[in-house]
Amino acid sequence: MLHRAGVKRILLCPASGALFPSRPPPTQLLPQALFAFDARAAVAAVAVPLAAMAAGYGWLWYMHSIAPVWQQALCAALIGTGYAGLFKVAHECAMMRFIPQAALGTLLMAPALYSLPSWRLHHLHHLLHTNMLWQDVWGWHPLTKVELADEMVRSGGSGGAAMAAARLVLTTPIKLFASVGHWLRSWDGLDLRHFHPASYVEVLSGWAAPLAFAGLVLPAVVSAGGLSGFVSCYLAPWLVFHFWLSVLSLTAHTAPHIPWRAEGDGWDAGRAAVAGTVTLRLPRPLEVLLNNANYMLPQAVAPGLPMWSAPAAYAVLAARLGPYLTEASMSLKLLTNHVTRWQIYDEEAHTYRPMEEVVDEIEADLQQLAAAAQQAQQQLAAQDQEARAQQ
């Protein structure tokens, strides 16, 4: 079941969203004790993922070139998942919830080849425009029926390279690694035209670390271990990290009953954050390793909340706002639904539909428009001939 017992499918129409009250201040919604800094929890947030990564790399080093493929895959899973937990710490630094902030965040984000200032700006934009059509960040915004129809009109049908790429990403398991595309697009952060002149120094310094990692560390890995060493020590863990980044982002705001609305057309920040966020439940040891990255709702409601308080904060929110919340358990069925069913967002129906179903509908509409246009041209030609004959 995607929805836990008692969840109401609200927000299916603009009027129903009025059932949810205006968002109260976080201090009224959550106990103040949850916002306290915990030094031991902060140290553990770094130490636990580092220990997992050290265990994976230690085994690869111990076995060296005789490690079978299945052991290399397990080590990559452990290293990549551990790094996803470290990346959560970097994210906390970007959101100014961790001490130290800039130095540690930049250092931890460098292996992912992300810029800390660029990540911060993208995520802040997402928090301000959660589930807002046409405004939310590309990494969370779904491909809509209107966008698909526009591409089909420009490409002259359902063929073409762009449509083939959309099918590949949206209808295959590659969708579970879609954050790689978000990573590629993040490099537009090198274009200073996106930023205020006063932030140029911070932006350029933020890119210095990932560029240095790519230019110095990665060649050293290839030099020391060859192509196989690069794959087992970096590329495979990097893809595991992107699996978690993609799945956590994809499941956070995607469900058949969760709508995307335009500003001025029923969108509300409080309703989008509370009723529009899905909490993905994972086995507790995995949540610890990922530093509670699956508990996005508490920090969406209270941006100053530290990550170690997220599970307790979610329990409070569930007790107070239970009928409005949605949660899901990590399962093959859930991932299958994301890949095979929830592909294109239909702005008119306010739900997700399979891509081929939407493509067939758009093609039928385009054929009807083409037939109507041809009929209108024939009528105009006939009228023109009749007018000439009368002359």
Side-chain angles (χ1 to χ4, degrees):
M1 292 290 290
L2 174 63
H3 309 90
R4 66 182 181 82
V7 169
K8 296 180 180 178
R9 291 190 174 189
I10 64 170
L11 294 178
L12 291 178
C13 61
S16 64
L19 295 174
F20 187 77
S22 299
R23 181 170 57 177
T27 53
Q28 296 180 14
L29 200 59
L30 296 172
Q32 191 63 34
L34 295 178
F35 293 85
F37 181 79
D38 187 333
R40 288 191 299 178
V43 172
V46 177
V48 172
L50 273 179
M53 294 179 67
Y57 279 124
W59 186 257
L60 287 176
W61 175 83
Y62 175 74
M63 296 297 291
H64 197 48
S65 60
I66 64 173
V69 174
W70 68 269
Q71 290 186 7
Q72 294 183 40
L74 286 178
C75 288
L78 183 61
I79 295 167
T81 304
Y83 179 69
L86 285 183
F87 192 86
K88 174 61 176 176
V89 176
H91 171 78
E92 295 294 290
C93 293
M95 297 295 104
M96 304 178 185
R97 292 188 290 250
F98 204 89
I99 299 174
Q101 294 174 4
L104 180 62
T106 299
L107 179 65
L108 294 180
M109 205 167 275
L113 305 181
Y114 272 110
S115 162
L116 186 76
S118 180
W119 178 270
R120 174 189 292 129
L121 292 174
H122 277 83
H123 198 79
L124 288 175
H125 185 90
H126 167 64
L127 290 177
L128 294 173
H129 304 85
T130 302
N131 289 22
M132 184 187 291
L133 270 178
W134 324 124
Q135 295 296 325
D136 204 347
V137 179
W138 178 82
W140 286 272
H141 198 288
L143 181 65
T144 66
K145 181 181 178 181
V146 168
E147 292 172 323
L148 187 64
D150 180 67
E151 179 57 40
M152 290 177 64
V153 169
R154 285 191 285 112
S155 61
S158 59
M163 290 295 295
R167 283 190 173 92
L168 183 65
V169 173
L170 294 177
T171 67
T172 71
I174 290 179
K175 186 176 186 179
L176 303 180
F177 298 88
S179 62
V180 174
H182 179 270
W183 166 72
L184 289 172
R185 289 190 61 167
S186 73
W187 286 84
D188 68 356
L190 286 169
D191 187 349
L192 294 179
R193 291 176 298 179
H194 295 304
F195 304 96
H196 190 276
S199 65
Y200 285 175
V201 174
E202 180 184 7
V203 171
L204 292 176
S205 63
W207 280 108
L211 289 174
F213 188 92
L216 299 176
V217 178
L218 295 186
V221 172
V222 174
S223 177
L227 183 60
S228 61
F230 172 76
V231 172
S232 61
C233 292
Y234 181 78
L235 182 60
W238 186 77
L239 290 174
V240 172
F241 155 71
H242 272 287
F243 167 80
W244 285 115
L245 186 59
S246 300
V247 168
L248 292 174
S249 300
L250 180 65
T251 58
H253 302 291
T254 306
H257 68 290
I258 294 179
W260 288 72
R261 296 192 177 279
E263 187 175 17
D265 187 31
W267 182 84
D268 177 81
R271 290 195 292 269
V274 174
T277 299
V278 179
T279 298
L280 182 66
R281 304 308 295 266
L282 301 169
R284 186 56 192 159
L286 189 54
E287 292 182 347
V288 172
L289 188 56
L290 291 171
N291 274 321
N292 301 316
N294 54 315
Y295 290 96
M296 299 185 185
L297 175 60
Q299 292 185 318
V301 173
L305 185 78
M307 58 187 174
W308 48 79
S309 296
Y314 180 75
V316 173
L317 293 175
R320 297 184 178 182
L321 303 173
Y324 303 102
L325 304 187
T326 301
E327 68 178 39
S329 296
M330 184 70 160
S331 66
L332 180 60
K333 181 179 180 181
L334 176 68
L335 298 181
T336 301
N337 282 336
H338 278 283
V339 173
T340 63
R341 297 178 60 191
W342 306 334
Q343 297 171 345
I344 302 295
Y345 185 75
D346 189 331
E347 305 94 318
E348 297 176 349
H350 297 294
T351 191
Y352 292 86
R353 298 170 59 189
M355 182 174 181
E356 293 307 319
E357 179 182 304
V358 178
V359 167
D360 292 342
E361 186 175 295
I362 294 173
E363 285 183 332
D365 291 340
L366 292 177
Q367 290 174 1
Q368 290 181 0
L369 290 174
Q374 184 178 8
Q375 183 179 5
Q377 288 178 350
Q378 292 174 351
Q379 291 177 351
L380 288 174
Q383 292 174 1
D384 185 56
Q385 290 178 357
E386 183 178 351
R388 290 180 179 180
Q390 292 177 355
Q391 292 177 356

